[in-house]
Amino acid sequence: MTKTDDIIERLASDLKAVPRQALRRRFALGIVPALSVSLLLMLIGLGLRIDMTDVLMLPVFWIKSAYNALIAVAGIVAVYRLSRPDGSEGGFFGLLALIFAAMAAVAATQLMTAPVETYPVLILGSSALHCPLLIFGFALPVYAGIVWALRRAAPSDLQLTGFVAGIAAGAAGAWVYSWFCTENGMPFVLIWYTLGILITGVLGALTGPRLLRW
């Protein structure tokens, strides 16, 4: 018993207090540079919309941007909560459903007020096939940054944490892509942007148990 106590005391004597904001700083160090990389890749590979000056005056552009940004922020907050052994998603999926429902209402309103002959443009646009794939591509650096941050954390549900991390990264990638995308149809954003976000979420669910193991 004495030997056991000595071992425990020796191990405990080497422990160092972790700074209170260490995990937050690690998340910032993982996500901010990764998001910068995604933005740089978009600027180099695709560039901003050529009509960006005019587009900034359009409500549809800011609605598209806000949809992705809100999901990304909510996802990052949820991942941070899940990064602890006793953490939970904290109502993330309810908030996600609310954001999606709000976007669906905007998309439905646009369809109801638009001529029927414009439906193919509003729903499919000219980039439906490659939009989700580009979002996925721009999401990968952000996902890598979140995984890097989580490697020093201790999430208990690795698959859930990976899925939420993928959703957050996918939405960040979608936000980056929105600065190039010329589609103004809210139904297009609801369907194809969301698909790109979900693809990244699936990647997170599949890789989370392996990458986040501790």
Side-chain angles (χ1 to χ4, degrees), residues 14 37 39 42 61 66 68 83 88 90-91 102 114-115 129 156 164 176-177 195 198 202 204 210 212 214:
D14 293 332
V37 169
L39 283 166
M42 183 273 294
F61 172 81
N68 300 307
S83 66
S88 68
L129 292 179
S156 57
V164 176
V176 168
Y177 176 68
L195 179 59
L198 285 175
V202 171
R210 175 172 295 182
L212 305 179
W214 52 282

Side-chain angles (χ1 to χ4, degrees), residues 59-137:
V60 289
F61 172 81
W62 293 108
I63 293 171
K64 175 168 60 175
S65 181
Y67 175 64
N68 300 307
L70 287 172
I71 295 175
V73 170
I76 291 169
V77 171
V79 170
Y80 181 79
R81 291 174 60 93
L82 285 164
S83 66
R84 303 179 185 277
D86 59 345
S88 68
E89 44 86 17
F92 167 69
F93 291 105
L95 182 57
L96 191 63
L98 186 63
I99 296 170
F100 182 83
M103 190 63 189
V106 172
T109 300
Q110 189 181 45
L111 284 175
M112 288 187 293
T113 56
V116 175
E117 57 268 22
T118 65
Y119 281 15
V121 174
L122 293 176
I123 297 172
L124 297 173
S126 59
S127 58
L129 292 179
H130 60 259
C131 169
L133 297 178
L134 285 171
I135 287 173
F136 177 74

